[in-house]
Amino acid sequence: MPNPWTGIGNPYTREEVKERLRTTLDANKAIIGAGAGTGISAKFIEKGGADFIIVYNSGRFRMSGHGSTAGMMAYGDANAVAMEIGEFEVLPVVEEIPVICGVHGSDPRRRMWHFLGQVKDMGFSGVNNFPTHSIIDGHFRNVLEETGMPFQKEVEMINLASKMDLFSVVYVAKPDEAVQMADVGADAIIAHVGTTVGGSIGVTDATASMDDAIERTQRIVDAVKKSNPDTIFLAHGGPINTPDDVRYALDHVDGLHGFVGASSLERMGVEESLTNLTKEFKSLTI
């Protein structure tokens, strides 16, 4: 699907995005989505062959040298940041692949139908629910649920997006959350198994083991496949970080179709390559 408007992004309909992903699967290739917090990241992620790009506020923190979890905190307007990155950095340089907007669905200041209209008009082809309350647990999660900012607001946002012909790829941490999302039309489910390990600002102890990540992902896939067998299933986070890790997950989770990487693609690539390149320059002598 060549883009006749090269240089301004390429909005697709919901069905067109799904068809692109089905073509990838028909070729026996894994679907790879990638987070991009800067235009340079987006440009070269596309050149690397990613199937779609997600723009969310955590990308700004990640590419500023901070942990991605900063995107979950009150350090800025998550929805405004995602739109700003999309409008001024990512959409102007992506030539052909779909770009997805991370939407904070429980933001009480947004009329969500109105905001999703802005997302669509901007040129995004779909939405993702980030920041997401699905990865918050314990007492704080209970407080959010009881004070008007529940996960259900994210479900309602995806329901609206589906009616507005926006593709949706959603984060969930539990099988019941996955079923809720699938029931309102989510096109792709991402099993979020924790903050990505590794690198300079990745977690070490606060993550699941690979066996646990595989088991949790399988339970999410199984819960949705019963009623929505055409759903696309992707993995994200925790110990699933490198291409070898993703290969292992694809081999051990029945029904898994691919992977979404943010830190594991964008941050890791920059950290390693810049460090090594600088070392090469510094090895020069006079």
Side-chain angles (χ1 to χ4, degrees):
M1 297 179 184
N3 179 9
W5 305 104
T6 300
I8 62 167
N10 190 24
Y12 292 100
T13 67
R14 181 185 182 192
E15 186 55 39
E16 285 171 341
V17 178
K18 290 195 288 185
E19 182 59 34
R20 289 173 65 91
L21 299 184
R22 283 194 289 263
T23 299
T24 297
L25 295 177
D26 288 345
N28 292 319
K29 294 181 179 179
I31 293 170
I32 302 297
T38 67
I40 194 74
S41 299
K43 178 181 288 189
F44 289 96
I45 284 169
E46 180 176 31
K47 286 185 181 296
D51 293 286
F52 60 86
I53 286 172
I54 305 179
V55 173
Y56 23 50
N57 72 319
S58 62
R60 172 154 293 172
F61 294 104
R62 178 168 55 248
M63 301 310 289
S64 297
H66 311 297
S68 297
T69 305
M72 297 291 295
M73 304 300 290
Y75 301 146
D77 183 335
N79 284 323
V81 168
M83 291 288 273
E84 182 181 332
I85 296 171
E87 180 174 16
F88 297 115
E89 297 194 48
V90 173
L91 288 168
V93 300
V94 171
E95 295 184 357
E96 201 268 335
I97 63 175
V99 180
I100 309 300
C101 184
V103 175
H104 195 184
S106 63
D107 185 343
R109 303 161 303 169
R110 295 299 199 282
R111 294 167 294 158
M112 196 48 61
W113 62 268
H114 180 254
F115 182 66
L116 291 182
Q118 295 175 316
V119 167
K120 189 170 184 177
D121 288 344
M122 183 75 71
F124 288 102
S125 298
V127 298
N128 165 259
N129 60 323
F130 192 88
T132 174
H133 296 178
S134 69
I135 57 176
I136 299 173
D137 57 16
H139 175 71
F140 185 49
R141 172 68 180 271
N142 292 336
V143 171
L144 290 171
E145 293 289 328
E146 293 180 12
T147 56
M149 293 163 281
F151 177 73
Q152 182 60 32
K153 290 287 187 180
E154 298 175 36
V155 176
E156 292 170 5
M157 183 270 289
I158 295 302
N159 188 25
L160 272 174
S162 298
K163 293 176 180 178
M164 296 172 69
D165 198 33
L166 284 161
F167 178 81
S168 57
V169 51
V170 301
Y171 284 124
V172 299
K174 300 175 183 177
D176 64 301
E177 294 167 346
V179 171
Q180 289 179 64
M181 285 294 196
D183 285 348
V184 296
D187 300 299
I189 302 288
I190 310 169
H192 196 305
V193 294
T195 302
T196 302
V197 303
S200 64
I201 47 177
V203 298
T204 53
D205 297 328
T207 189
S209 68
M210 179 61 82
D211 286 344
D212 184 45
I214 294 299
E215 191 270 336
R216 286 165 61 183
T217 302
Q218 188 67 68
R219 286 193 289 114
I220 286 170
V221 172
D222 290 344
V224 174
K225 283 178 69 175
K226 294 176 183 177
S227 56
N228 301 79
D230 294 331
T231 305
I232 292 168
F233 296 101
L234 307 168
H236 173 86
I240 307 174
N241 180 16
T242 67
D244 285 343
D245 297 332
V246 177
R247 174 73 272 162
Y248 185 87
L250 290 168
D251 288 342
H252 289 82
V253 177
D254 182 33
L256 187 64
H257 299 117
F259 172 72
V260 171
S263 293
S264 51
L265 271 161
E266 185 177 40
R267 174 171 63 82
M268 299 298 190
V270 170
E271 287 184 2
E272 183 175 351
S273 61
L274 283 181
T275 300
N276 292 338
L277 183 58
T278 305
K279 285 179 177 179
E280 286 186 42
F281 277 111
K282 283 299 294 178
S283 69
L284 299 173
T285 58
I286 298 175

